[in-house]
Amino acid sequence: IENPKFFARLERKLKKAQRALSRKTKGSANQAKARLKVARVHEKVKHTRGDWIDQRVATIVAESQGIYVEDLNVAGLSRGRASKSWHDAAAGMFLTRLESKAARTGRTFAKVDRYFPSTQLCSDCGALTGPKGLAGLQVREWSCPCGAVHDRDVNAEINIRREGKRLVAEGLPDT
């Protein structure tokens, strides 16, 4: 799913409204109007993001009987260099709503542990030969000694689906 970047799209408008607000005299009627303009921009971002997430979640739940996701450390990812992007994507909100909607509609939902090596594990032979560490994050394609050539994201998706099905079959409590 492509990230629509709601905040980034309205950031210039917000910056302009905040600049106008900062120029107003404290306690004046014009300051109150400017504050409302800033609030409206934030509200528009919030509502469009929430609506988009609800639509995507409804589509995913309608298409799938089993939904398997990786339990990401969203709070930790939100503290790095890409924190603004992670906040704009609202990954935590997306996962929460997806889990809730799946439970309400009776779909199978499982979270794969965040420490599961989904990108490093070869989906063909099961060997841990994929790229490791921070340097490995830039490697998008890699080859396994068994001869298989993997795209990082496709390989991770296969491994997460397999692990999710295994968790559901075992009947673990976090599914």
Side-chain angles (χ1 to χ4, degrees):
I1 300 173
E2 198 62 37
N3 181 9
K5 300 179 182 177
F6 297 108
F7 183 75
R9 215 180 305 145
L10 289 171
E11 197 169 16
R12 251 180 59 208
K13 196 173 194 176
L14 179 64
K15 187 190 278 187
K16 186 177 176 183
Q18 286 175 329
R19 206 179 301 127
L21 172 63
S22 71
R23 289 194 200 106
K24 305 299 179 202
T25 309
K26 293 243 189 236
S28 68
N30 284 335
Q31 186 201 26
K33 285 189 268 182
R35 197 172 66 244
L36 284 176
K37 278 188 180 180
V38 170
R40 268 190 225 110
V41 175
H42 280 296
E43 191 176 35
K44 183 169 176 67
V45 170
K46 177 185 172 188
H47 289 308
T48 52
R49 181 184 292 130
D51 183 50
W52 183 86
I53 287 174
D54 286 337
Q55 288 175 11
R56 295 299 165 260
V57 164
T59 303
I60 290 169
V61 170
E63 290 175 351
S64 313
Q65 286 296 315
I67 302 165
Y68 312 110
V69 296
E70 189 173 15
D71 182 27
L72 296 173
N73 181 9
V74 178
L77 291 167
S78 298
R79 284 193 296 256
R81 283 181 57 193
S83 63
K84 204 174 192 181
S85 298
W86 276 101
H87 284 294
D88 195 10
M93 182 191 305
F94 183 81
L95 289 178
T96 303
R97 289 190 186 176
L98 184 63
E99 185 174 9
S100 170
K101 182 95 170 172
R104 278 183 285 153
T105 56
R107 302 292 194 249
T108 304
F109 184 86
K111 279 187 181 177
V112 175
D113 187 41
R114 68 181 66 161
Y115 300 111
F116 177 71
S118 59
T119 55
Q120 299 170 10
L121 194 65
C122 175
S123 57
D124 289 347
C125 69
L128 271 171
T129 56
K132 294 171 180 62
L134 290 175
L137 292 174
Q138 286 140 7
V139 178
R140 304 312 303 168
E141 279 194 8
W142 58 277
S143 301
C144 181
C146 71
V149 178
H150 297 289
D151 175 74
R152 179 189 183 87
D153 298 327
V154 174
N155 182 57
E157 184 264 328
I158 292 168
N159 288 328
I160 289 170
R161 183 182 298 152
R162 244 184 232 150
E163 180 68 7
K165 285 179 181 177
R166 187 188 67 76
L167 291 172
V168 169
E170 286 181 4
L172 293 177
D174 45 9
T175 57

